Amino acid sequence: MSVSLDHRAPRVPAAALLAFLVLAFAITWGVIGSYIYWPDVMTARFGAISGAHPFFFLATWAPAIAAFAVVLLFGGLSGLRGFLSRLLMWRCPAPWWGMILVVIPLVFMAGSLIKGGPLLAPIPPEGVGAVVALMFMMLLLGPIEEFGWRGVAQPLLQRFMAPVWAGALIGAIWGIWHLPAFYLAGVVFAEWSFLPFFIGNVTLAILVTPIFNAARGSLLLPMLFHWQLINPFWPDAQPWDTWLLVGVAAVVVWWKRDMMFTRMGAVTEVIPGEART
């Protein structure tokens, strides 16, 4: 039975992408930029920045905050409920679950072994419990970004371009969004090189794209994918993890080229059941 147009959720317009990006960048770059340009003032008033600082969480959550603002603006509370229902979408072909649960960990393990490192990250003196606690804390950091990147940006871009290009563009934006953190002492990014990280962002955004579309716009699977990338049990494999992921992404794009290079079947709804106005 077809659904009447009058009963569908309001459509989030493509122009909302600009509002989303402006707000996400303003929050993150505003917070991080304040610590870069006025470190003494910010530290004296709010404390030294670190990965556990509330402002670091705020900066990390900016894409989600921007996504919620956009959805509320165009869809109201009912639209937000529909948007959040995408967290419950777990059905996806088994190979994509395998990518998240098996392939990503194997990439980190293989990369670490190539550079002469361990199979798993060393357990700290505090024990396994500390790593488990950190793992769950990580669930509240990077994966929350997916409300924005895959929640809003991906479906809006896929209205105009093939998924592979939408993923690549989001990856580039994602990388640039991180840029100020590389100039911020006290966080892990300060120890990394930006170019491999940027290439990794583009690669990962392309790699998660077919998972997102195969799961019909699920937010759950991209969040689990993101969580695996920062799972503290996996060893430091830089830069080999990046180059291995580039290879995995190339295989996936070739394997699923029929869905990566055409918009047919690509998810374009921010709120499930949006009106086609």
Side-chain angles (χ1 to χ4, degrees):
M1 180 176 179
S2 62
V3 179
S4 170
L5 188 65
D6 294 335
H7 291 88
R8 292 184 179 181
R11 185 163 172 82
V12 176
L17 179 62
L18 179 60
F20 160 74
L21 291 174
V22 168
L23 184 54
F25 273 78
I27 294 172
T28 301
W29 284 29
V31 170
I32 302 302
S34 296
Y35 269 94
I36 293 173
Y37 287 102
W38 304 289
D40 295 336
V41 173
M42 293 297 291
T43 300
R45 183 166 298 181
F46 302 108
I49 193 74
S50 70
H53 195 287
F55 277 179
F56 187 79
F57 276 80
L58 176 62
T60 302
W61 290 345
I65 295 170
F68 293 151
V70 163
V71 171
L72 280 169
L73 177 63
F74 294 101
L77 287 175
S78 62
L80 182 60
R81 285 193 295 271
F83 178 71
L84 292 175
S85 73
R86 292 167 58 190
L87 285 169
L88 304 177
M89 301 169 67
W90 59 270
R91 290 182 175 84
C92 187
W96 301 122
W97 277 106
M99 177 71 67
I100 295 170
L101 300 177
V102 179
V103 174
I104 296 301
L106 286 178
V107 163
F108 285 106
M109 294 176 187
S112 178
L113 291 176
I114 290 172
K115 64 185 291 186
L119 194 62
L120 294 174
I123 301 299
E126 297 81 4
V128 174
V131 183
V132 172
L134 178 60
M135 182 178 68
F136 281 101
M137 189 187 82
M138 290 298 187
L139 184 60
L140 300 176
L141 282 169
I144 303 299
E145 296 174 28
E146 297 302 329
F147 282 112
W149 306 130
R150 252 52 64 179
V152 171
Q154 187 91 31
L156 292 183
L157 283 174
Q158 288 185 159
R159 294 178 188 176
F160 305 99
M161 60 183 69
V164 67
W165 308 125
L169 181 55
I170 291 171
I173 294 170
W174 188 24
I176 294 169
W177 174 77
H178 280 95
L179 183 59
F182 284 78
Y183 298 92
L184 184 65
V187 299
V188 66
F189 297 99
E191 304 172 3
W192 294 353
S193 174
F194 179 71
L195 182 58
F197 179 83
F198 180 83
I199 294 171
N201 276 184
V202 174
T203 300
L204 291 168
I206 292 173
L207 192 53
V208 77
T209 291
I211 300 175
F212 170 80
N213 285 318
R216 305 310 308 147
S218 167
L219 287 172
L220 175 63
L221 270 74
M223 285 181 169
L224 292 176
F225 178 91
H226 200 139
W227 195 23
Q228 284 283 52
L229 302 176
I230 55 176
N231 188 326
F233 279 101
W234 310 144
D236 175 19
Q238 295 180 0
W240 291 102
D241 53 351
T242 296
W243 309 130
L244 289 172
L245 285 167
V246 168
V248 171
V251 170
V252 168
V253 169
W254 179 84
W255 172 41
K256 291 296 181 180
R257 57 193 180 277
D258 56 333
M259 66 181 291
M260 291 293 281
F261 289 95
T262 175
R263 291 195 296 114
M264 185 176 298
V267 173
T268 59
E269 294 180 338
V270 175
I271 304 170
E274 286 180 325
R276 301 296 180 181
T277 56

